[in-house]
């Protein structure tokens, strides 16, 4: 499933979302990032922080997931298992997209004042603090997905007889 669309539906509960928003809020000012966006590999927005509107964050999520997927196809063509980071530098704004877990990406948007090393440092730091919360949500989503599959299989078996 690496580099492909996420097959599990990750939903952050209220407590997890609050915890992630606290982490983002703390590191948004400390890192001098403009915005932080958490998304799944399917491009669905999970959380955001900064001045970015929900509409723009949703669009960035969809496009960032597409860029990340395309970058990983490039990695495969080059014989790499995957690229875990993609970075785009503009004249005014930079975006750093990194893989937090096999299903979730972090996009951090910076202006052009910060050097790439500092951007990578802050992205890694935010990822490390966010990862345990996401992993817990993924475990719950996987359990729920398996439960639904088991119920579907049982229903299909009952329908046969």
């Amino acid at each position: 499933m690496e580099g492909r669309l996420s097959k599990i539906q990750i939903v952050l509960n209220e407590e997890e979302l609050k915890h992630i928003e606290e982490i983002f809020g703390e590191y948004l000012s400390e890192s001098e990032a403009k915005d932080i966006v958490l998304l799944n590999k399917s491009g669905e927005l999970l959380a955001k922080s900064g001045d970015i509107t929900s509409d723009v964050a949703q669009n960035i999520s969809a496009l960032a997931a597409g860029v990340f997927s395309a970058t990983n196809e490039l990695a495969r063509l080059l014989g790499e298992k995957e690229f875990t980071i993609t970075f785009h530098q503009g004249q005014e704004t930079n975006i750093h997209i990194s893989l937090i877990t096999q299903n979730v990406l972090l996009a951090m948007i910076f202006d052009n004042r910060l050097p790439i090393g500092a951007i990578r440092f802050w992205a890694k730091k935010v990822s490390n603090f966010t990862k345990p919360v996401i992993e817990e949500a993924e475990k719950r989503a996987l359990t729920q997905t398996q439960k639904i599959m088991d119920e579907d299989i049982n229903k299909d078996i009952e329908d046969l007889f």
Side-chain angles (χ1 to χ4, degrees):
M1 185 167 72
E2 296 161 8
R4 309 271 182 202
L5 292 176
S6 175
K7 292 184 178 179
I8 62 172
Q9 182 68 37
I10 300 167
V11 178
L12 300 171
N13 64 32
E14 194 171 315
E15 183 180 323
E16 292 164 338
L17 185 58
K18 183 179 177 192
H19 187 68
I20 286 174
E21 286 174 345
E22 288 172 357
I23 293 167
F24 284 3
E26 179 181 340
Y27 288 108
L28 189 67
S29 61
E30 207 172 315
S31 70
E32 299 180 30
K34 292 169 64 178
D35 304 291
I36 303 174
V37 177
L38 187 70
L39 57 133
N40 67 21
K41 279 187 170 177
S42 298
E44 296 166 315
L45 175 66
L46 299 175
K48 70 169 189 71
S49 187
D51 294 334
I52 193 169
T53 65
S54 291
D55 287 346
V56 172
Q58 288 172 352
N59 289 335
I60 287 174
S61 294
L63 294 170
V67 164
F68 197 82
S69 181
T71 301
N72 273 302
E73 288 304 316
L74 180 61
R76 277 185 248 297
L77 290 173
L78 297 174
E80 288 290 327
K81 181 179 171 189
E82 67 182 351
F83 291 145
T84 57
I85 295 171
T86 184
F87 178 74
H88 299 274
Q89 185 172 12
Q91 287 188 344
E92 301 290 326
T93 305
N94 303 323
I95 184 167
H96 183 279
I97 305 166
S98 56
L99 185 68
I100 296 179
T101 69
Q102 287 305 312
N103 301 299
V104 175
L105 301 169
L106 177 74
M108 292 184 73
I109 300 164
F110 294 86
D111 63 25
N112 63 359
R113 290 178 294 158
L114 239 52
I116 181 66
I119 292 171
R120 291 187 68 178
F121 169 80
W122 287 111
K124 184 72 176 170
K125 198 163 189 170
V126 171
S127 292
N128 287 344
F129 281 99
T130 308
K131 188 174 182 176
V133 179
I134 294 166
E135 287 176 334
E136 198 60 40
E138 285 178 333
K139 282 181 196 171
R140 192 176 55 252
L142 195 57
T143 300
Q144 184 66 25
T145 300
Q146 186 61 45
K147 183 179 173 188
I148 291 170
M149 288 176 56
D150 290 346
E151 289 172 0
D152 287 347
I153 290 170
N154 288 336
K155 185 179 181 310
D156 288 345
I157 290 171
E158 287 178 17
D159 289 346
L160 286 175
F161 301 103

